[in-house]
Amino acid sequence: MFDFADLVEQIDKTNKTNLKVEALEKFFSSASDEDKVWAIALFSSKRPKRSVKTSDLRVYAAEIAEIPLWLFEESYHIVGDLAETIALLVPESKQSIEPPTLTQLIGEIKDLKKLDEVKQKAYLTNRWSHLNYYSKFVFNKLITGGFRIGVSQKLMTKSIANVTGIDQDTIAYQIMGDWDPEETTYNQLILSPSKEDFIYKPYPFYLANPLDQDLRKLGSCSEWVYENKWDGIRAQLIKRNNEIMIWSRGEELISKQFPELIEMGKFLSNGTVIDGEILPFKNGKIGSFNDLQKRLGRKNVGKTTLENNPVILKAYDLLESNDLDIRNLKYIDRRKPLKKLVLFLNNEKLQLSEYYIFNNWNDVEEAHSQSRINKSEGLMIKNINAFYKVGRKKGDWWKWKVDPLTIDAVLTYAMRGHGRRANLFTDYTFALWKTNDNGDRELVTFAKAYSGLTDKEFKKVDSFIKKNTLERFGPVRSVQPKLVFEIAFEGIANSSRHKSGVAVRFPRILRWRQDKTIKDANSINDLKSLIHE
Amino acid sequence: MKKPLLVFNQNGIYCPIAKIYMDAWRPVDKVIISHAHADHSKNGHKHYLTHPNSVPIVKHRLGNINIESKEWGEKFTINGVQFSLHPAGHIIGSSQVRVEYKGDVWVYSGDYKRENDGISTPFEPVKCNTFITECTFGLPAFNWEKQEIVINEINDFWEECKSNHQTAVIFAYSLGKAQRLIANLNLDIGKIYTHGAVENLNEVIRSYKNLPKTYRVTRETKKEDLIGNLVIAPPSTHGSSWLKKMVPYVTSSSSGWMTFRGARRRRAIDRGFVLSDHVDWKDLIQTIKDTEAKNIVCTHGYKNIFSKYLNENGYNSFIENTPFEEEEITGNNV
Ligand SMILES: [Zn+2]
């Protein structure tokens, strides 16, 4: 018997791709069909609805492990993953009973919602005490949600392709969209999907690789076109059978968040799929990602939000035209009908992401250097003859990002890391100078970052923190402001939600400036001067 | 209240009456060394005292030093303070230090573990009033399996590599973990090859303790010699050009930190085995019960958490800081 927990254990035990694929193949050729469907769902970030509050889960686990709740919380903080913490803390049973199947466990977990606290606890106690470590871990993951265990969609589709003999790209397409694992059979999903099932599916997105070589090695400059790399939400706008939907790259249906785009889609013909970027767009200007965030995470978007935070769709590509899948046309042959469509529609909510043609590499570099002024993150370099492929495939699409913005900031707070770094303070908060109303300079928090130093540097900074702690707030310590770090980030925008008045995207530590004292660190004003208005 | 028999000062753990240090981290006149790991036996002291099984290793590391030795349980008195060494089970020669003065008994644990590893002299709890304990793994998440089970897992891993015509590489600390593996793994599977740092220590230890035969990896060693066999190397060789020689190889690591899924994944090691030379949670608590001590000084590792737990459970516990490295995290110890 090779069940889902065995699969997770095997995947966990190796770093080698071929061994992971081997384990996946073993699972997909031996598991029951219903377990296979659930496994595909879980590896594609579809998860059962949460049926127990995690706060209750912690209390139950602490009781069963016979430790005080604070000790459970400390352990959780250090381990970094709730499912793993519980699996480590609740005692393991040595007696082996027939382990429940994945589908059975998911069914039980779903029913937990209906039980009162006493019964919930009794159920969990019973399950925990009869599962081995990996089954316990998987079980907890099913309850807490979020199943990232080192299996990419690519690995999974490859394994299913190997087992079934179906083309991998076809499988990637089949498992897109909003199917319900409870209502879908393996037959419907993989072996013999019906045509109607595809109506509600987006196409798998084609993704670019970062440019990792000299530009001039790409061959002839004129074989490529150049587009801005927009910083919004990559999405497909689909109209089929008079229904309009928007799918994000993260495979979420985001139609409800962008009603104005759905409205615009009404003017499209049936059988149209546009690949583009949703961008904040106010007063004729592209806004910052920060503005876009106000549109996400809301069930329904109200009138005020619509007015204050309008968006557009910047169209990159046309994947389906007049009911025909045109992904196998050349880039330029897909762009022609796309341009026609945008011109014909003549709707302010749909704009073309223009591409440029350059005759020499110097002009490309010049365009790249203008990116920030254009509110873009860099250049996309696309081969004029490239088909629209599935997933991240190297060779025809490159993304060439601009160098990150940087600033020198002071370390002010620190928190312990997770896992191997559990004993070290590796999660930092950084501050910049600001002149307050009295004319005094004070340090104001501007970003958090936890990556970018070597193990050796982390150890040194850790020992500094332990010796220079000012105050403790649970796992967080305030630190004597003494160390200066160069912080890199991708985007920057004004923000009223942040104490500093500025929000930055993807902050990370570039280097430890041991040559600088805190007096040399930058100010909030320096940071603001990096914003292009 | 009585003056404490042992204090923590800037140089190390100090007995003011006897004027002697334990595991001093700065150069001092007289020091008792708990065990031969680099962070506990530092260079530059004028006079060293340790167990005979640690002497050759300390000398190998520090050269010609002034060193004397005492057997387990052998009592010696300095300025009216009575000292004795007791097995700590951490690595070969590792000792706890018992200190008694006018009926007050303190024990400094050094690093320790409870399970008999087949190479270190097994741990013996020592009754005392005050117990200074390490807490490297002082969290309930750490719960070791029996050595036999873990060794079987490693044997299976080795056999698997062998049947795939690969070299099994296991990262282990040159002193302690390496010999523990050598003494326990199943040599019917194949030969154990060692990195120079490991083999140098093996040679030192073989002068007074039987160890199964191992083979040093040298310039002359060929890839083909290694396939199907097991290589023990210090963690610092991970990703080095030295390791490339072992192609095709599968890497593994044995340490208490392998408890965490994240630890192995972040280090890009194929397999992780949870095998530690420190006490886990349940053995920490058992040891404290066994010593019958009421005062517990926590050092090293999760000392804040463990100390808080002890105080809630009726002990008088506090923490002291030491610069002892998180040896299992960095793996730079030789
Ligand atoms: Zn040690």
Side-chain angles (χ1 to χ4, degrees), chain A residues 12-16 68 70-71 74-75 78-79 84 88-89 137 149-150 418-420 422-423 459 472, chain B residues 139-141 249 259-261 264-271 281 301-302 305 308-309 312 326 329-330:
Chain A
D12 226 27
K13 273 187 177 168
T14 184
N15 266 305
K16 296 210 160 58
W70 70 263
L71 184 53
E74 287 278 7
S75 305
I78 287 161
V79 177
E84 188 179 348
L88 287 169
L89 289 178
F137 173 66
I149 59 148
H418 292 146
R420 180 170 67 96
N423 257 3
K459 253 192 98 184
R472 291 163 195 236
Chain B
L139 265 195
Y249 61 80
T259 299
F260 295 149
R261 295 174 65 245
R264 190 181 62 256
R265 295 158 72 87
R266 238 159 294 172
R267 295 194 63 172
I269 285 168
D270 293 312
R271 287 290 301 271
W281 176 261
Y302 297 104
I305 294 171
K308 179 175 174 183
Y309 179 81
E312 280 189 2
E326 306 297 334
I329 294 189
T330 60

Side-chain angles (χ1 to χ4, degrees), chain B residues 47-105:
Chain B
H47 184 268
Y48 293 75
L49 187 152
T50 191
H51 186 269
N53 285 350
S54 295
V55 172
I57 310 169
V58 175
K59 274 187 164 171
H60 164 77
R61 286 197 31 251
L62 303 182
N64 200 9
I65 49 167
N66 179 7
I67 190 163
E68 74 174 298
S69 63
K70 298 287 179 194
E71 293 293 341
W72 310 126
E74 182 184 345
K75 292 177 175 131
F76 54 100
T77 306
I78 307 170
N79 204 19
V81 184
Q82 191 190 75
F83 291 86
S84 52
L85 302 180
H86 302 267
H90 170 58
I91 62 168
I92 191 162
S94 64
S95 311
Q96 309 172 72
V97 186
R98 182 184 185 275
V99 187
E100 181 177 353
Y101 184 70
K102 292 188 178 165
D104 190 19
V105 180

Side-chain angles (χ1 to χ4, degrees), chain A residues 184-326:
Chain A
T184 312
T185 65
Y186 188 64
N187 224 28
Q188 286 169 333
L189 186 67
I190 300 294
L191 299 179
S192 50
S194 70
K195 226 175 160 215
E196 294 83 71
D197 289 339
F198 287 93
I199 292 173
Y200 296 99
K201 288 183 196 293
Y203 291 102
F205 285 82
Y206 182 17
L207 307 171
N209 276 87
L211 184 67
D212 56 359
Q213 54 182 327
D214 183 6
L215 195 58
R216 287 165 177 79
K217 289 199 176 133
L218 291 180
S220 159
C221 187
S222 55
E223 273 177 38
W224 302 87
V225 297
Y226 306 86
E227 276 182 64
N228 279 301
K229 185 183 183 316
W230 303 112
D231 182 21
I233 299 163
R234 178 92 180 270
Q236 282 176 37
L237 176 70
I238 300 171
K239 182 172 182 185
R240 291 177 187 136
N241 284 6
N242 293 321
E243 277 192 68
I244 303 139
M245 58 207 131
I246 305 171
W247 282 97
S248 74
R249 209 203 100 184
E251 277 186 64
E252 269 174 271
L253 195 58
I254 49 172
S255 310
K256 280 196 179 129
Q257 282 77 29
F258 301 101
E260 69 264 65
L261 298 182
I262 297 291
E263 196 58 33
M264 173 266 283
K266 286 183 181 162
F267 301 103
L268 296 168
S269 354
N270 274 315
T272 302
V273 178
I274 299 169
D275 177 10
E277 191 95 7
I278 301 174
L279 290 176
F281 197 80
K282 200 175 182 180
N283 306 330
K285 279 197 298 190
I286 294 171
S288 78
F289 192 83
N290 213 30
D291 301 326
L292 206 51
Q293 251 151 3
K294 291 167 192 151
R295 296 290 294 271
L296 294 166
R298 283 170 198 254
K299 277 242 161 68
N300 288 297
V301 179
K303 226 179 176 180
T304 352
T305 317
L306 271 178
E307 271 167 27
N308 291 338
N309 299 288
V311 299
I312 54 159
L313 182 70
K314 270 274 191 200
Y316 291 130
D317 220 318
L318 190 62
L319 312 184
E320 187 175 308
S321 176
N322 299 319
D323 274 327
L324 272 181
D325 176 354
I326 58 166

Side-chain angles (χ1 to χ4, degrees), chain B residues 169-180:
Chain B
V169 177
I170 186 157
F171 300 116
Y173 303 97
S174 308
L175 173 58
K177 196 67 63 62
Q179 292 76 31
R180 184 177 178 188

Side-chain angles (χ1 to χ4, degrees), chain A residues 134-148:
Chain A
Y134 267 98
S135 305
K136 222 170 8 177
F137 173 66
V138 166
F139 175 65
N140 296 338
K141 274 284 177 202
L142 294 173
I143 299 175
T144 57
F147 222 98
R148 257 174 287 166

